[in-house]
Amino acid sequence: MEPEEPEEPALGRRDGGELGGRGLLELAVASGVVAWATWAVVLMPGFRRVPLRLQVPYQPSGPQQVANALELLRGRTGKTVDLGSGDGRLVVEAYKQGLRPAVGYELNPWLLCLSNYRAWKAGYHGKVSFLKKDLWKVNLSDCYNVIVFLAPSVKPPLATKLLAELPDEARVVAGRFPFPSWTPASTLGQGLEQVWAYDMKEVRRAAQSRAEGSPV
């Protein structure tokens, strides 16, 4: 009686069966390499000079998020900036709505290229600006409309910066996550599409009231 042939390893099966342990491991490693390569080439360049606690991974805004944010800025005038502008869609839509000048601050060079392409495609090349600048080092004293789609971890230090630099007439619109210590003047949407608007004059007044009411 001839000896039985060893069973063909799951990884090499051609009958559509499930991958074995080795196959799953190789698939996981391959997926990890792709993810790492995407991060290293596309996303990492803008993070190298930013402290870890202030880094904000890129996450594109959905159409309803953009619409809600700009609805809370409708009818306003003055310089409009998007802090961490990503692929530029909020800046382009702000300009389209009449908010001018419209500027995006972004460190990632690939996202800046994508932003400029988006502006060119919309017919706004040279009319909107996308600047490779660290939002923590930009002076915002001439900004009257500020869009912030950033992670919760950066909201407290960013609140301090905005309070110190923005004029009283400025309005800040936050997407995805609110400023934890500020009371919004208005809000729109629900869930991931919710946005919050803050008027700096009222934010400062509330902060001053809290400071005066605090025990020395």
Side-chain angles (χ1 to χ4, degrees), residues 68-69 71-73 76 146 170-175 178-179 182-188 194-200 202-203:
N68 289 346
E71 181 62 30
L72 293 184
L73 294 176
R76 291 181 57 82
V146 178
R171 168 168 279 201
V172 177
V173 172
F179 283 87
W182 292 2
T183 300
S186 57
T187 184
L188 183 64
Q194 187 171 5
V195 294
W196 298 262
Y198 305 90
D199 293 327
M200 291 310 300
E202 296 303 319
V203 170

Side-chain angles (χ1 to χ4, degrees), residues 33-183:
V33 169
V34 172
W36 177 87
T38 302
W39 167 258
V41 174
V42 179
L43 300 178
M44 185 60 182
F47 283 74
R48 289 173 181 154
R49 294 172 295 174
V50 180
L52 181 62
R53 71 184 183 88
L54 300 181
Q55 293 180 6
V56 182
Y58 165 62
Q59 183 177 358
S61 304
Q64 193 58 52
Q65 289 178 324
V66 173
N68 289 346
L70 294 178
E71 181 62 30
L72 293 184
L73 294 176
R74 187 171 299 279
R76 291 181 57 82
T77 59
K79 183 177 179 179
T80 301
V81 297
D82 183 6
L83 303 180
S85 54
D87 60 14
R89 65 184 67 192
L90 279 159
V91 175
V92 170
E93 290 301 318
Y95 184 88
K96 186 184 297 185
Q97 184 171 298
L99 294 166
R100 304 169 186 179
V103 181
Y105 294 115
E106 175 60 56
L107 281 176
N108 189 294
W110 296 96
L111 293 176
L112 287 169
C113 289
L114 182 57
S115 299
N116 283 303
Y117 171 75
R118 184 183 294 276
W120 171 81
K121 188 176 181 181
Y124 300 147
H125 177 68
K127 298 179 180 179
V128 298
S129 300
F130 295 102
L131 305 178
K132 188 181 179 182
K133 291 188 177 182
D134 184 345
L135 66 88
W136 300 103
K137 299 178 181 179
V138 173
N139 189 314
L140 303 174
S141 59
D142 63 343
C143 301
Y144 290 87
N145 305 293
V146 178
I147 302 172
V148 180
F149 274 62
L150 299 176
S153 60
V154 304
K155 291 295 175 63
L158 183 58
T160 300
K161 176 179 175 64
L162 298 177
L163 277 169
E165 298 180 10
L166 290 180
D168 277 347
E169 298 79 13
R171 168 168 279 201
V172 177
V173 172
R176 298 196 185 104
F177 305 100
F179 283 87
S181 61
W182 292 2
T183 300

